[in-house]
Amino acid sequence: MRIAIIGAGNVGAALGNGWLKRRHDVRFGVRAPADPKYRDLPANRLATPAEAAASAAAVVLATPWPATEAAIRDLGDLSGRIVIDCTNPLEMTAEGLRLALGHDRSGGELVAQWAKGASVFKAFNTTGAANMADLSGYGTAPAMFVAGDDADRKPSVMTLARDLGFEPIDAGPLRIARLLEPLAMLWVDQALYRGAGPNFAFAVMRKS
Ligand SMILES: NC(=O)c1ccc[n+]([C@@H]2O[C@H](COP(=O)([O-])OP(=O)(O)OC[C@H]3O[C@@H](n4cnc5c(N)ncnc54)[C@H](OP(=O)(O)O)[C@@H]3O)[C@@H](O)[C@H]2O)c1
């Protein structure tokens, strides 16, 4: 699949490199493609965000939450495209990171408002970037929940999760992002504030 990754930080680089290894046609959309900080990414796959998105079947948002609305605006018309929202609407407070919104709305649903006409999915937000880069060492495939309203295209997004070694789980419609974003916050809280570090992941177990 031709995939545009918008933002090549922790998440964008991990996902993009993983999908490149699985032979997807990845472009990293970054604001300054010539910046030496991207030297570890293949130079021929670096472009501006708008260039990367122009011909992509799937556009993956891996931007900080406060930058996400502007990043989407800079991509132009995304109607008809798969948009995978990996962001979490986090804000820093005196007590540490917390969700900036939730309960009856979600970042994923706001992304759908900003990316008019796109098929928006919430995914790749409920685990750390190190897990997205390397799932080796887990006895059970970590879960990757995928929420989105476009039933026809959801299997493609779930396949992208499987390609990285996750067990993809259909979480239901996009409004379930209201649950996935707090789940991500639980992961962040465990990792940053409860001593768990980045080497753990959520998995689903089933009775046989
Ligand atoms: N880190 C994790 O483990 C993790 C896990 C799950 C979800 N998330 C979520 O994923 C998102 C990205 O996290 P991250 O840790 O990868 O962040 P990061 O390392 O700070 O990377 C963010 C990237 O977004 C780019 N960016 C910023 N503003 C932009 C704009 N207006 N247009 C295009 N690109 C822009 C930055 O590029 P410049 O260098 O040009 O500023 C940078 O490459 C966040 O919303 C985070 O909550 C993170």
Side-chain angles (χ1 to χ4, degrees):
M1 184 185 280
R2 182 164 288 191
I3 303 169
I5 311 267
I6 308 306
N10 300 305
V11 169
L15 293 175
N17 283 326
W19 287 324
L20 275 174
K21 282 185 205 144
R22 276 92 186 165
R23 300 190 180 284
H24 289 287
D25 184 6
V26 174
R27 297 276 184 290
F28 295 94
V30 296
R31 293 182 291 183
D35 192 311
K37 72 181 170 184
Y38 298 119
R39 69 178 74 80
D40 292 338
L41 297 173
N44 61 341
R45 295 193 172 271
L46 286 164
T48 65
E51 287 166 352
S55 59
V59 175
V60 176
L61 301 172
T63 46
W65 176 248
T68 299
E69 182 175 8
I72 291 171
R73 198 182 316 118
D74 290 345
L75 299 178
D77 183 10
L78 292 174
S79 54
R81 235 78 72 73
I82 291 172
V83 169
I84 302 175
D85 171 27
C86 311
T87 70
N88 281 309
L90 304 180
E91 65 182 10
M92 185 55 88
T93 69
E95 288 90 46
L97 282 169
R98 70 172 187 194
L99 286 173
L101 53 90
H103 293 294
D104 56 0
R105 62 191 183 134
S106 63
E109 290 162 287
L110 282 175
V111 163
Q113 286 176 24
W114 298 332
K116 284 195 183 17
S119 292
V120 176
F121 295 89
K122 189 90 203 182
F124 305 105
N125 71 308
T126 52
T127 199
N131 285 328
M132 299 180 206
D134 178 10
L135 284 177
S136 62
Y138 289 108
T140 303
M144 185 48 66
F145 297 98
V146 178
D149 297 332
D150 187 339
D152 292 339
R153 293 161 111 186
K154 193 177 281 180
S156 303
V157 180
M158 292 179 63
T159 297
L160 289 176
R162 192 176 291 108
D163 286 346
L164 298 179
F166 291 102
E167 179 191 358
I169 296 180
D170 183 349
L174 185 61
R175 65 180 160 74
I176 299 300
R178 298 172 194 181
L179 306 182
L180 298 186
E181 290 164 9
L183 182 62
M185 193 62 242
L186 177 65
W187 191 95
V188 170
D189 190 78
Q190 285 287 310
L192 296 187
Y193 305 125
R194 313 291 151 213
N199 294 324
F200 78 100
F202 299 133
V204 173
M205 301 175 78
R206 297 175 184 83
K207 265 188 174 181
S208 55

